[in-house]
């Protein structure tokens, strides 16, 4: 399921983002003034055993950070802001004007941000 483009402002800089859910969750982020610059984060996961007429997706991830249990909601502006701030500080080369970068294993990004024991929280659709 793809969402509409949403707006987010971080440190006075406007961004847009959109999500594509499913067993392979995709988060796309672009500066609002230059949508040719885009970062795509892909969270690949193996859904539970499939039942007949069942579709699985996830938006939430159960994780730990600093010994606290946290639910990361990948559609929540607060969590997306945290990802953008991390990428701006630690991976500024990804924000080159007019470039599209894909992070195929975004789980590693969350791990670098200090999260551990990450598991998707599956939603069953009929």
């Amino acid at each position: 399921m793809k969402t509409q483009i949403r707006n987010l402002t971080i440190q006075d800089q406007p961004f847009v983002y959109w999500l594509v859910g499913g067993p392979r969750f995709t988060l796309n982020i672009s500066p609002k003034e230059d949508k040719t610059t885009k970062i795509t984060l892909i969270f690949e996961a193996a859904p539970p055993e499939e039942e007949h007429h069942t579709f699985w997706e996830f938006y939430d991830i159960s994780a730990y950070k600093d010994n606290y249990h946290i639910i990361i909601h990948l559609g929540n502006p607060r969590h997306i802001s945290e990802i953008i701030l991390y990428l701006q500080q630690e991976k500024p080369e990804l924000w080159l004007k007019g470039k599209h970068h894909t992070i195929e294993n975004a789980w590693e990004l969350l791990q670098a941000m200090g999260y551990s024991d990450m598991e998707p929280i599956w939603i069953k659709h009929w």
Side-chain angles (χ1 to χ4, degrees):
M1 170 189 294
K2 181 179 177 181
T3 64
Q4 294 181 343
I5 293 177
R6 299 175 184 170
N7 295 302
L8 177 66
T9 301
I10 301 169
Q11 298 178 341
D12 296 327
Q13 183 178 0
F15 289 87
V16 295
Y17 67 94
W18 62 101
L19 319 167
V20 181
R24 175 184 161 131
F25 182 89
T26 305
L27 170 62
N28 297 286
I29 305 167
S30 290
K32 189 171 186 174
E33 70 275 358
D34 178 21
K35 293 183 191 83
T36 63
T37 302
K38 181 170 86 169
I39 298 174
T40 300
L41 304 168
I42 299 173
F43 296 86
E44 190 85 43
E49 287 295 317
E50 194 166 322
E51 299 172 16
H52 192 62
H53 303 297
T54 302
F55 173 75
W56 294 96
E57 67 180 345
F58 70 96
Y59 291 92
D60 295 331
I61 297 171
S62 173
Y64 286 87
K65 186 172 186 178
D66 300 326
N67 293 323
Y68 291 101
H69 181 252
I70 296 171
I71 302 295
I72 304 166
H73 182 58
L74 294 171
N76 184 311
R78 184 184 73 154
H79 292 121
I80 295 172
S81 296
E82 182 183 0
I83 291 170
I84 291 172
L85 285 170
Y86 179 84
L87 290 172
Q88 286 178 319
Q89 294 169 357
E90 301 297 324
K91 306 274 187 188
E93 67 276 7
L94 298 179
W95 298 103
L96 294 176
K97 188 174 178 90
K99 298 289 183 179
H100 176 208
H101 295 281
T102 300
I103 299 175
E104 291 288 339
N105 188 350
W107 297 102
E108 290 176 354
L109 173 70
L110 292 179
Q111 188 173 18
M113 292 172 63
Y115 292 102
S116 64
D117 299 323
M118 297 169 284
E119 296 288 333
I121 298 173
W122 293 102
I123 301 169
K124 179 195 279 190
H125 296 281
W126 297 97

